[in-house]
Amino acid sequence: MSTPHDSPAPRLNYPTARFMISAPTLALCPNDTGAEVAFAGRSNAGKSSAINALTQQNALARTSRTPGRTQLINFFTVMNDESRRLVDLPGYGYAKVPEAVKIEWQQHLSDYLRGRFSLRGLVLLMDVRHPLTEFDQMMLDYADQRGMPVHILLTKADKLKKGPASAALQKVRSRLKEWEDLVSVQLFSSLKRDGVDTLSQKLDQWLHTPEEVNQ
């Protein structure tokens, strides 16, 4: 029997995050046990910057002037515990790489999202000025097929004034109303660290989920 979340999950210390391993394919990922949360987004959505803001580290996730540089699935431990992991998925859709490489990245993403039992939730990053791209819809469809929760970060919120940023947030929530049982949305700015606490509370919930099923 499931219990409702009537009290906040214990807080995890995300600045303790440390690099664990990089894997080019699902088969080479760490053992599929424990709990992990994956970060996904187009290559120009600010994914690495968000992970670095969350962990208060400048270079835990690699940032680059060339979007799409990350082509591996990168795993990080939290609080020196290999059973709690943050996962940085390859950026997609913007990088100037051959089409065959893009297709290969998409296949690895699909394999990971469909087949990873320990994946408890997906953090999907979208530039607040250009949300819900074709890639974003594809990721939401993967999550919907698995019934997996998604937390959307509308990144680079500092690029908009408060009114337009709030309007963009409401528009995305409205467009995703049919998925409101699985999808939550917030504004986020890595530059100003706005929204980091809201994100960390969501991750706390997912990474503390009990090992209730081994089916």
Side-chain angles (χ1 to χ4, degrees):
M1 187 174 73
S2 61
T3 350
H5 287 290
D6 45 15
S7 60
R11 302 308 301 266
L12 294 175
N13 184 3
Y14 295 99
T16 61
R18 295 293 179 269
F19 175 74
M20 182 181 178
I21 194 174
S22 292
T25 64
L26 181 64
L28 295 174
C29 289
N31 289 338
D32 195 3
T33 57
E36 62 195 32
V37 173
F39 287 71
R42 282 174 64 90
S43 300
N44 56 343
K47 179 167 53 68
S48 297
S49 297
I51 294 172
N52 290 339
L54 169 71
T55 60
Q56 298 178 35
Q57 300 181 48
N58 291 330
L60 183 69
R62 294 175 66 186
T63 57
S64 171
R65 290 183 181 277
T66 308
R69 185 174 178 180
T70 304
Q71 299 180 29
L72 300 170
I73 304 171
N74 296 305
F75 291 82
F76 307 94
T77 61
V78 177
M79 299 178 69
N80 300 310
D81 182 356
E82 292 194 354
S83 71
R84 284 197 188 105
R85 300 176 297 272
L86 303 176
V87 185
D88 185 8
L89 295 176
Y92 179 80
Y94 181 81
K96 295 177 181 177
V97 297
E99 190 64 28
V101 175
K102 289 186 183 180
I103 292 169
E104 186 179 1
W105 289 1
Q106 184 174 342
Q107 186 59 54
H108 293 329
L109 283 173
S110 173
D111 291 345
Y112 173 82
L113 292 167
R114 293 173 191 272
R116 190 74 174 167
F117 175 75
S118 55
L119 180 60
R120 298 297 170 76
L122 180 69
V123 178
L124 182 56
L125 294 94
M126 308 177 189
D127 186 321
V128 67
R129 299 162 298 176
H130 313 288
L132 296 172
T133 64
E134 184 181 353
F135 166 79
D136 300 329
Q137 296 285 358
M138 179 181 76
M139 300 301 280
L140 287 166
D141 287 340
Y142 285 145
D144 187 44
Q145 289 167 24
R146 274 193 60 173
M148 181 174 62
V150 177
H151 187 62
I152 294 173
L153 298 186
L154 296 177
T155 61
K156 307 183 184 182
D158 52 279
K159 302 283 189 186
L160 297 179
K161 292 184 177 177
K162 188 173 180 180
S166 297
L169 174 64
Q170 292 308 319
K171 186 174 181 180
V172 170
R173 282 180 173 157
S174 175
R175 287 182 61 184
L176 296 178
K177 191 160 181 60
E178 63 180 295
W179 281 323
E180 63 186 352
D181 55 330
L182 282 179
V183 177
S184 50
V185 192
Q186 70 164 103
L187 294 170
F188 192 88
S189 168
S190 299
L191 185 65
K192 296 188 175 180
R193 293 187 48 78
D194 289 342
V196 170
D197 195 55
T198 302
L199 170 61
S200 64
Q201 288 180 44
K202 177 62 69 174
L203 299 184
D204 289 344
Q205 292 174 19
W206 288 344
L207 292 173
H208 277 293
T209 304
E211 293 283 345
E212 70 272 35
V213 234
N214 280 318
Q215 298 173 1

Tab-separated table of all heavy atoms in Angstrom, residues 120-167:
chain	number	residue	atom	x	y	z
A	120	ARG	N	13.946	7.361	-11.257
A	120	ARG	CA	12.749	7.720	-10.503
A	120	ARG	C	12.047	8.956	-11.046
A	120	ARG	O	10.899	9.220	-10.696
A	120	ARG	CB	13.111	7.954	-9.036
A	120	ARG	CG	13.675	6.732	-8.354
A	120	ARG	CD	12.642	5.609	-8.313
A	120	ARG	NE	13.227	4.364	-7.868
A	120	ARG	CZ	13.533	4.074	-6.604
A	120	ARG	NH1	13.340	4.968	-5.669
A	120	ARG	NH2	14.049	2.909	-6.299
A	121	GLY	N	12.752	9.757	-11.824
A	121	GLY	CA	12.140	10.958	-12.355
A	121	GLY	C	13.066	11.626	-13.347
A	121	GLY	O	14.276	11.369	-13.365
A	122	LEU	N	12.484	12.478	-14.182
A	122	LEU	CA	13.236	13.175	-15.218
A	122	LEU	C	13.117	14.680	-15.007
A	122	LEU	O	12.011	15.210	-14.867
A	122	LEU	CB	12.664	12.806	-16.594
A	122	LEU	CG	13.322	13.448	-17.818
A	122	LEU	CD1	14.722	12.903	-18.030
A	122	LEU	CD2	12.463	13.206	-19.057
A	123	VAL	N	14.267	15.361	-14.958
A	123	VAL	CA	14.288	16.818	-14.956
A	123	VAL	C	14.507	17.246	-16.405
A	123	VAL	O	15.544	16.950	-16.998
A	123	VAL	CB	15.404	17.375	-14.057
A	123	VAL	CG1	15.427	18.905	-14.125
A	123	VAL	CG2	15.204	16.921	-12.609
A	124	LEU	N	13.508	17.899	-16.979
A	124	LEU	CA	13.560	18.291	-18.390
A	124	LEU	C	13.757	19.799	-18.464
A	124	LEU	O	12.937	20.567	-17.959
A	124	LEU	CB	12.263	17.872	-19.087
A	124	LEU	CG	12.157	18.155	-20.578
A	124	LEU	CD1	13.308	17.516	-21.351
A	124	LEU	CD2	10.820	17.648	-21.122
A	125	LEU	N	14.861	20.212	-19.080
A	125	LEU	CA	15.200	21.631	-19.143
A	125	LEU	C	14.809	22.227	-20.478
A	125	LEU	O	15.100	21.651	-21.535
A	125	LEU	CB	16.700	21.820	-18.892
A	125	LEU	CG	17.145	21.434	-17.478
A	125	LEU	CD1	17.644	19.998	-17.453
A	125	LEU	CD2	18.236	22.357	-16.969
A	126	MET	N	14.135	23.380	-20.423
A	126	MET	CA	13.716	24.096	-21.625
A	126	MET	C	14.078	25.568	-21.444
A	126	MET	O	13.839	26.128	-20.371
A	126	MET	CB	12.201	24.000	-21.824
A	126	MET	CG	11.625	22.612	-21.800
A	126	MET	SD	9.800	22.685	-21.953
A	126	MET	CE	9.402	20.964	-21.604
A	127	ASP	N	14.611	26.179	-22.464
A	127	ASP	CA	14.817	27.626	-22.458
A	127	ASP	C	13.444	28.288	-22.345
A	127	ASP	O	12.553	28.012	-23.149
A	127	ASP	CB	15.523	28.038	-23.760
A	127	ASP	CG	15.925	29.502	-23.800
A	127	ASP	OD1	15.148	30.349	-23.311
A	127	ASP	OD2	16.999	29.806	-24.354
A	128	VAL	N	13.266	29.136	-21.336
A	128	VAL	CA	11.957	29.752	-21.087
A	128	VAL	C	11.445	30.509	-22.308
A	128	VAL	O	10.230	30.676	-22.496
A	128	VAL	CB	12.039	30.693	-19.856
A	128	VAL	CG1	12.921	31.906	-20.137
A	128	VAL	CG2	10.658	31.106	-19.378
A	129	ARG	N	12.356	30.949	-23.185
A	129	ARG	CA	11.941	31.710	-24.366
A	129	ARG	C	11.525	30.802	-25.514
A	129	ARG	O	10.891	31.254	-26.474
A	129	ARG	CB	13.086	32.622	-24.819
A	129	ARG	CG	13.505	33.644	-23.762
A	129	ARG	CD	14.874	34.206	-24.034
A	129	ARG	NE	15.913	33.173	-24.013
A	129	ARG	CZ	17.202	33.394	-24.290
A	129	ARG	NH1	17.605	34.614	-24.611
A	129	ARG	NH2	18.075	32.402	-24.243
A	130	HIS	N	11.884	29.506	-25.443
A	130	HIS	CA	11.583	28.554	-26.532
A	130	HIS	C	11.184	27.192	-25.947
A	130	HIS	O	11.854	26.187	-26.191
A	130	HIS	CB	12.798	28.378	-27.450
A	130	HIS	CG	13.454	29.661	-27.860
A	130	HIS	ND1	12.873	30.532	-28.759
A	130	HIS	CD2	14.618	30.235	-27.477
A	130	HIS	CE1	13.655	31.578	-28.928
A	130	HIS	NE2	14.717	31.431	-28.160
A	131	PRO	N	10.094	27.126	-25.179
A	131	PRO	CA	9.725	25.854	-24.536
A	131	PRO	C	8.971	24.921	-25.475
A	131	PRO	O	8.497	25.327	-26.530
A	131	PRO	CB	8.819	26.311	-23.393
A	131	PRO	CG	8.163	27.543	-23.931
A	131	PRO	CD	9.182	28.218	-24.819
A	132	LEU	N	8.890	23.658	-25.037
A	132	LEU	CA	8.069	22.647	-25.706
A	132	LEU	C	8.426	22.474	-27.177
A	132	LEU	O	7.572	22.489	-28.061
A	132	LEU	CB	6.580	22.964	-25.531
A	132	LEU	CG	6.096	22.920	-24.067
A	132	LEU	CD1	4.675	23.438	-23.958
A	132	LEU	CD2	6.194	21.513	-23.505
A	133	THR	N	9.716	22.288	-27.436
A	133	THR	CA	10.176	21.968	-28.778
A	133	THR	C	9.802	20.521	-29.127
A	133	THR	O	9.285	19.770	-28.287
A	133	THR	CB	11.702	22.110	-28.865
A	133	THR	OG1	12.302	21.126	-27.991
A	133	THR	CG2	12.162	23.511	-28.461
A	134	GLU	N	10.098	20.132	-30.337
A	134	GLU	CA	9.834	18.746	-30.754
A	134	GLU	C	10.578	17.758	-29.853
A	134	GLU	O	10.047	16.713	-29.464
A	134	GLU	CB	10.270	18.570	-32.215
A	134	GLU	CG	9.965	17.196	-32.783
A	134	GLU	CD	10.443	17.059	-34.231
A	134	GLU	OE1	10.884	18.058	-34.823
A	134	GLU	OE2	10.376	15.929	-34.742
A	135	PHE	N	11.831	18.089	-29.501
A	135	PHE	CA	12.598	17.227	-28.601
A	135	PHE	C	11.907	17.114	-27.234
A	135	PHE	O	11.780	16.027	-26.671
A	135	PHE	CB	14.015	17.776	-28.409
A	135	PHE	CG	14.745	17.147	-27.254
A	135	PHE	CD1	15.329	15.897	-27.381
A	135	PHE	CD2	14.834	17.801	-26.031
A	135	PHE	CE1	15.985	15.306	-26.315
A	135	PHE	CE2	15.484	17.218	-24.956
A	135	PHE	CZ	16.066	15.972	-25.099
A	136	ASP	N	11.450	18.246	-26.704
A	136	ASP	CA	10.791	18.224	-25.397
A	136	ASP	C	9.553	17.331	-25.430
A	136	ASP	O	9.305	16.554	-24.497
A	136	ASP	CB	10.382	19.648	-24.997
A	136	ASP	CG	11.568	20.594	-24.891
A	136	ASP	OD1	12.671	20.130	-24.538
A	136	ASP	OD2	11.386	21.803	-25.175
A	137	GLN	N	8.781	17.426	-26.510
A	137	GLN	CA	7.583	16.598	-26.642
A	137	GLN	C	7.949	15.116	-26.697
A	137	GLN	O	7.261	14.266	-26.115
A	137	GLN	CB	6.807	16.983	-27.914
A	137	GLN	CG	6.269	18.411	-27.907
A	137	GLN	CD	5.053	18.591	-27.009
A	137	GLN	OE1	4.570	17.650	-26.403
A	137	GLN	NE2	4.555	19.811	-26.926
A	138	MET	N	9.062	14.815	-27.380
A	138	MET	CA	9.521	13.425	-27.467
A	138	MET	C	9.867	12.891	-26.076
A	138	MET	O	9.493	11.770	-25.709
A	138	MET	CB	10.741	13.348	-28.386
A	138	MET	CG	11.333	11.955	-28.534
A	138	MET	SD	12.801	11.961	-29.606
A	138	MET	CE	14.034	12.663	-28.479
A	139	MET	N	10.558	13.717	-25.273
A	139	MET	CA	10.928	13.287	-23.928
A	139	MET	C	9.692	13.106	-23.051
A	139	MET	O	9.604	12.160	-22.258
A	139	MET	CB	11.884	14.311	-23.302
A	139	MET	CG	13.175	14.509	-24.068
A	139	MET	SD	14.143	12.987	-24.232
A	139	MET	CE	14.910	12.927	-22.635
A	140	LEU	N	8.724	13.987	-23.190
A	140	LEU	CA	7.486	13.849	-22.429
A	140	LEU	C	6.740	12.571	-22.829
A	140	LEU	O	6.136	11.904	-21.982
A	140	LEU	CB	6.593	15.075	-22.644
A	140	LEU	CG	7.071	16.363	-21.949
A	140	LEU	CD1	6.324	17.570	-22.500
A	140	LEU	CD2	6.889	16.265	-20.436
A	141	ASP	N	6.787	12.234	-24.106
A	141	ASP	CA	6.141	11.003	-24.565
A	141	ASP	C	6.821	9.773	-23.959
A	141	ASP	O	6.146	8.828	-23.524
A	141	ASP	CB	6.179	10.910	-26.093
A	141	ASP	CG	5.204	11.875	-26.759
A	141	ASP	OD1	4.261	12.333	-26.081
A	141	ASP	OD2	5.400	12.178	-27.953
A	142	TYR	N	8.161	9.762	-23.929
A	142	TYR	CA	8.881	8.649	-23.287
A	142	TYR	C	8.436	8.500	-21.835
A	142	TYR	O	8.158	7.394	-21.351
A	142	TYR	CB	10.398	8.888	-23.307
A	142	TYR	CG	11.080	8.679	-24.630
A	142	TYR	CD1	12.162	9.477	-25.005
A	142	TYR	CD2	10.685	7.680	-25.515
A	142	TYR	CE1	12.812	9.301	-26.216
A	142	TYR	CE2	11.327	7.494	-26.726
A	142	TYR	CZ	12.393	8.301	-27.076
A	142	TYR	OH	13.042	8.126	-28.272
A	143	ALA	N	8.398	9.621	-21.119
A	143	ALA	CA	8.030	9.590	-19.702
A	143	ALA	C	6.586	9.119	-19.532
A	143	ALA	O	6.276	8.326	-18.628
A	143	ALA	CB	8.216	10.967	-19.087
A	144	ASP	N	5.696	9.593	-20.415
A	144	ASP	CA	4.284	9.217	-20.339
A	144	ASP	C	4.108	7.718	-20.529
A	144	ASP	O	3.316	7.074	-19.837
A	144	ASP	CB	3.501	9.998	-21.401
A	144	ASP	CG	2.002	9.804	-21.271
A	144	ASP	OD1	1.494	9.848	-20.133
A	144	ASP	OD2	1.338	9.606	-22.297
A	145	GLN	N	4.872	7.141	-21.455
A	145	GLN	CA	4.789	5.700	-21.703
A	145	GLN	C	5.160	4.884	-20.463
A	145	GLN	O	4.633	3.809	-20.230
A	145	GLN	CB	5.698	5.315	-22.871
A	145	GLN	CG	5.190	5.784	-24.224
A	145	GLN	CD	6.254	5.678	-25.319
A	145	GLN	OE1	7.187	4.894	-25.212
A	145	GLN	NE2	6.103	6.489	-26.354
A	146	ARG	N	6.073	5.432	-19.656
A	146	ARG	CA	6.499	4.737	-18.440
A	146	ARG	C	5.727	5.170	-17.203
A	146	ARG	O	5.916	4.605	-16.126
A	146	ARG	CB	7.988	5.000	-18.177
A	146	ARG	CG	8.908	4.068	-18.876
A	146	ARG	CD	10.317	4.183	-18.332
A	146	ARG	NE	10.432	3.869	-16.910
A	146	ARG	CZ	11.591	3.781	-16.258
A	146	ARG	NH1	12.720	3.996	-16.896
A	146	ARG	NH2	11.635	3.494	-14.982
A	147	GLY	N	4.898	6.204	-17.331
A	147	GLY	CA	4.230	6.749	-16.158
A	147	GLY	C	5.218	7.359	-15.186
A	147	GLY	O	5.024	7.306	-13.966
A	148	MET	N	6.292	7.950	-15.727
A	148	MET	CA	7.373	8.480	-14.901
A	148	MET	C	7.207	9.979	-14.702
A	148	MET	O	6.920	10.702	-15.657
A	148	MET	CB	8.722	8.205	-15.573
A	148	MET	CG	9.921	8.689	-14.776
A	148	MET	SD	11.454	8.161	-15.576
A	148	MET	CE	11.312	9.012	-17.149
A	149	PRO	N	7.368	10.488	-13.462
A	149	PRO	CA	7.206	11.920	-13.240
A	149	PRO	C	8.291	12.748	-13.913
A	149	PRO	O	9.439	12.311	-14.050
A	149	PRO	CB	7.274	12.053	-11.717
A	149	PRO	CG	7.988	10.842	-11.247
A	149	PRO	CD	7.667	9.752	-12.224
A	150	VAL	N	7.903	13.958	-14.328
A	150	VAL	CA	8.814	14.892	-14.985
A	150	VAL	C	8.722	16.235	-14.261
A	150	VAL	O	7.617	16.702	-13.960
A	150	VAL	CB	8.440	15.091	-16.472
A	150	VAL	CG1	9.365	16.119	-17.133
A	150	VAL	CG2	8.492	13.772	-17.220
A	151	HIS	N	9.872	16.836	-13.985
A	151	HIS	CA	9.913	18.188	-13.429
A	151	HIS	C	10.606	19.074	-14.455
A	151	HIS	O	11.766	18.854	-14.801
A	151	HIS	CB	10.673	18.200	-12.103
A	151	HIS	CG	10.615	19.523	-11.408
A	151	HIS	ND1	9.425	20.090	-10.978
A	151	HIS	CD2	11.598	20.413	-11.068
A	151	HIS	CE1	9.687	21.250	-10.407
A	151	HIS	NE2	10.988	21.482	-10.449
A	152	ILE	N	9.880	20.063	-14.967
A	152	ILE	CA	10.404	20.932	-16.022
A	152	ILE	C	11.035	22.179	-15.412
A	152	ILE	O	10.420	22.858	-14.579
A	152	ILE	CB	9.283	21.327	-16.997
A	152	ILE	CG1	8.787	20.088	-17.759
A	152	ILE	CG2	9.758	22.401	-17.978
A	152	ILE	CD1	7.568	20.344	-18.614
A	153	LEU	N	12.262	22.461	-15.822
A	153	LEU	CA	12.916	23.715	-15.478
A	153	LEU	C	12.848	24.630	-16.695
A	153	LEU	O	13.389	24.294	-17.756
A	153	LEU	CB	14.386	23.496	-15.110
A	153	LEU	CG	14.715	22.622	-13.904
A	153	LEU	CD1	16.214	22.670	-13.633
A	153	LEU	CD2	13.934	23.040	-12.675
A	154	LEU	N	12.184	25.762	-16.556
A	154	LEU	CA	12.199	26.778	-17.601
A	154	LEU	C	13.418	27.655	-17.329
A	154	LEU	O	13.380	28.558	-16.485
A	154	LEU	CB	10.905	27.580	-17.596
A	154	LEU	CG	9.642	26.770	-17.933
A	154	LEU	CD1	8.403	27.646	-17.840
A	154	LEU	CD2	9.750	26.131	-19.319
A	155	THR	N	14.514	27.338	-17.997
A	155	THR	CA	15.813	27.930	-17.688
A	155	THR	C	15.973	29.320	-18.296
A	155	THR	O	15.175	29.749	-19.133
A	155	THR	CB	16.946	27.024	-18.200
A	155	THR	OG1	16.819	26.902	-19.624
A	155	THR	CG2	16.876	25.639	-17.570
A	156	LYS	N	17.046	29.984	-17.854
A	156	LYS	CA	17.402	31.328	-18.348
A	156	LYS	C	16.282	32.326	-18.072
A	156	LYS	O	16.039	33.258	-18.846
A	156	LYS	CB	17.753	31.277	-19.842
A	156	LYS	CG	18.832	30.220	-20.156
A	156	LYS	CD	19.238	30.226	-21.610
A	156	LYS	CE	20.229	29.098	-21.892
A	156	LYS	NZ	20.699	29.080	-23.284
A	157	ALA	N	15.585	32.125	-16.937
A	157	ALA	CA	14.473	33.002	-16.584
A	157	ALA	C	14.943	34.439	-16.365
A	157	ALA	O	14.145	35.375	-16.476
A	157	ALA	CB	13.764	32.476	-15.337
A	158	ASP	N	16.237	34.602	-16.084
A	158	ASP	CA	16.784	35.952	-15.896
A	158	ASP	C	16.805	36.753	-17.199
A	158	ASP	O	16.979	37.973	-17.182
A	158	ASP	CB	18.199	35.875	-15.319
A	158	ASP	CG	19.094	34.964	-16.134
A	158	ASP	OD1	19.025	33.730	-15.943
A	158	ASP	OD2	19.851	35.468	-16.997
A	159	LYS	N	16.618	36.070	-18.331
A	159	LYS	CA	16.606	36.764	-19.625
A	159	LYS	C	15.286	37.502	-19.865
A	159	LYS	O	15.177	38.306	-20.797
A	159	LYS	CB	16.817	35.765	-20.765
A	159	LYS	CG	18.104	34.953	-20.677
A	159	LYS	CD	19.297	35.764	-21.095
A	159	LYS	CE	20.543	34.888	-21.209
A	159	LYS	NZ	21.755	35.688	-21.481
A	160	LEU	N	14.276	37.197	-19.040
A	160	LEU	CA	12.966	37.846	-19.184
A	160	LEU	C	12.641	38.644	-17.931
A	160	LEU	O	13.091	38.303	-16.837
A	160	LEU	CB	11.873	36.790	-19.398
A	160	LEU	CG	11.946	35.925	-20.658
A	160	LEU	CD1	10.792	34.934	-20.663
A	160	LEU	CD2	11.925	36.783	-21.915
A	161	LYS	N	11.837	39.677	-18.088
A	161	LYS	CA	11.332	40.384	-16.917
A	161	LYS	C	10.299	39.503	-16.213
A	161	LYS	O	9.817	38.514	-16.770
A	161	LYS	CB	10.727	41.722	-17.339
A	161	LYS	CG	11.778	42.705	-17.843
A	161	LYS	CD	11.180	44.053	-18.162
A	161	LYS	CE	12.280	45.036	-18.590
A	161	LYS	NZ	11.730	46.344	-18.985
A	162	LYS	N	9.970	39.885	-14.979
A	162	LYS	CA	9.120	39.030	-14.145
A	162	LYS	C	7.780	38.704	-14.806
A	162	LYS	O	7.331	37.557	-14.791
A	162	LYS	CB	8.893	39.709	-12.789
A	162	LYS	CG	8.194	38.820	-11.788
A	162	LYS	CD	8.133	39.462	-10.408
A	162	LYS	CE	7.424	38.539	-9.426
A	162	LYS	NZ	7.353	39.159	-8.076
A	163	GLY	N	7.123	39.721	-15.400
A	163	GLY	CA	5.811	39.504	-16.018
A	163	GLY	C	5.850	38.497	-17.157
A	163	GLY	O	5.112	37.504	-17.139
A	164	PRO	N	6.708	38.713	-18.168
A	164	PRO	CA	6.806	37.740	-19.263
A	164	PRO	C	7.242	36.343	-18.808
A	164	PRO	O	6.777	35.343	-19.350
A	164	PRO	CB	7.852	38.371	-20.187
A	164	PRO	CG	7.772	39.835	-19.909
A	164	PRO	CD	7.459	39.956	-18.453
A	165	ALA	N	8.117	36.282	-17.791
A	165	ALA	CA	8.550	34.973	-17.287
A	165	ALA	C	7.367	34.236	-16.666
A	165	ALA	O	7.152	33.037	-16.924
A	165	ALA	CB	9.677	35.143	-16.267
A	166	SER	N	6.576	34.929	-15.858
A	166	SER	CA	5.390	34.312	-15.236
A	166	SER	C	4.376	33.884	-16.299
A	166	SER	O	3.751	32.828	-16.186
A	166	SER	CB	4.731	35.283	-14.260
A	166	SER	OG	5.602	35.581	-13.201
A	167	ALA	N	4.232	34.709	-17.340
A	167	ALA	CA	3.301	34.369	-18.419
A	167	ALA	C	3.759	33.110	-19.154
A	167	ALA	O	2.949	32.248	-19.503
A	167	ALA	CB	3.195	35.543	-19.398
